[in-house]
Amino acid sequence: MDSLIKLFVCFYVFLFTSLLFAEINGVEGSDKNHRLYGFRPTKLFVFGDSYADTGNIKKSLSSSWKFPYGITFPGKPAGRFSDGRVATDFLAKFVGIKSPIPYFWKNYAGKKRLQHGMNFAYGGTGVFNTQAPLPNMTTQIDFFQNILTAGDIYNIPSNLISSVALVSVAGNDYSTFISQNRPASDFPAFIKQVVDQTEVNLRRLHALGVEKVAVPLLQPLGCLPGITFASSFQRCNETQNALVRLHNSLLQQAVIKLNNEIKKSTFIILDLYNAFLTVFNNKGANPGSTTFQSPLKPCCVGVSSEYNCGSVDEKGVKKYMICDDPKSAFFWDGSHPTEEGWRSVYSVLHQSLTASFMKA
Ligand SMILES: *[C@@H]1O[C@H](CO)[C@@H](O)[C@H](O)[C@H]1NC(C)=O
Ligand SMILES: *[C@@H]1O[C@H](CO)[C@@H](O)[C@H](O)[C@H]1NC(C)=O
């Protein structure tokens, strides 16, 4: 288990060294709301980490505000942990609304723009505290609740009946656990705690009146470039993926239990685990997904293990290499997909998402 810890520490470094912010500009999406089922989603509220952050994290804390982040979209660094769009943008597109404004920028956005919802996700966060001063998911939901209580932006409950939430828990709790040198034998119990706390958060969002809550399963952490560089980006680490599957099966059980309790299909699972693997293995059978030649190899990578995408030395000389075409890579950096990677993942998820949204 010791080497598992080392690998997770390495994963930790990757997730955090790429911590960073954007302008309000340019989060596009189609403005027409399509009817997914009996209700027409008009708002998206987002909670979680770097897979969902579209510009909340402070510039001083994150590489996502440094070149070459954002080169595909919006064309310069803007706080997204990718070359372009991230999960929030693709889910917004799916439900047919504009990508919501980051909470941090709410005072710079017009009232009309705020009606698409708000993004409370901060890169590097977990359901529990990770790095101070980043807000854990409980605190992010507090921000949301305070805005609802203030009542000057959204009318509750009527405004929430047509709302969707995304709750991204992509692994920072686990990298933090490892960095604290806690015994590896505690891992399974800690996984249970993470899922239990996620369930508390999901219950709260439902109690606040959100109509549909999308809950991604954990992606295969053992396939992230920060891990697979040990095999020159050839093989996923199966030991780590087995732990991820434990997290995912507990999370799925929690979601089934919640839906049974409330007798509605409020909570929707987004199976990122299998969607990532499907894209990695795609040889053309999934026409919506790109076939990536070396799916585990990131586009932007440090020249050695001490450097990350976006890092420069004291003289400003860059310490990373970037591929010719970000569209050709699934991964952008040590832990985050490219825009093309996310596009492919959401294309694989499209059918199950549609089916889940149809269920009342
Ligand atoms: C995968 O992780 C396990 C547990 O951390 C470790 O023992 C093993 O060496 C890793 N495998 C590879 C191929 O890196
Ligand atoms: C979230 O953060 C707040 C502020 O640091 C802390 O008081 C609270 O215990 C944290 N919640 C969880 C579930 O870790």
Side-chain angles (χ1 to χ4, degrees), residues 1 3-5 7 230 235 237-240:
M1 276 309 240
S3 46
L4 171 65
I5 300 224
L7 283 172
R235 279 177 305 280
N237 189 301
E238 197 32 53
T239 313
Q240 306 209 353

Side-chain angles (χ1 to χ4, degrees), residues 127-129 136 138-139 197:
V127 295
F128 297 119
N129 282 345
N136 61 38
T138 303
T139 305
Q197 183 59 39

Side-chain angles (χ1 to χ4, degrees), residues 49 125-130 137 167-177 182 186-202 218 247-248 250-251 254:
D49 46 40
T125 64
V127 295
F128 297 119
N129 282 345
T130 49
M137 195 176 282
V167 173
S168 174
V169 181
N172 291 316
D173 292 293
Y174 298 128
S175 37
T176 303
F177 174 92
R182 290 167 63 181
D186 286 1
F187 227 108
F190 183 64
I191 291 175
K192 174 92 169 59
Q193 283 175 24
V194 169
V195 172
D196 286 350
Q197 183 59 39
T198 306
E199 183 183 325
V200 168
N201 297 339
L202 296 179
L218 202 51
H247 169 102
N248 286 346
L250 292 175
L251 184 57

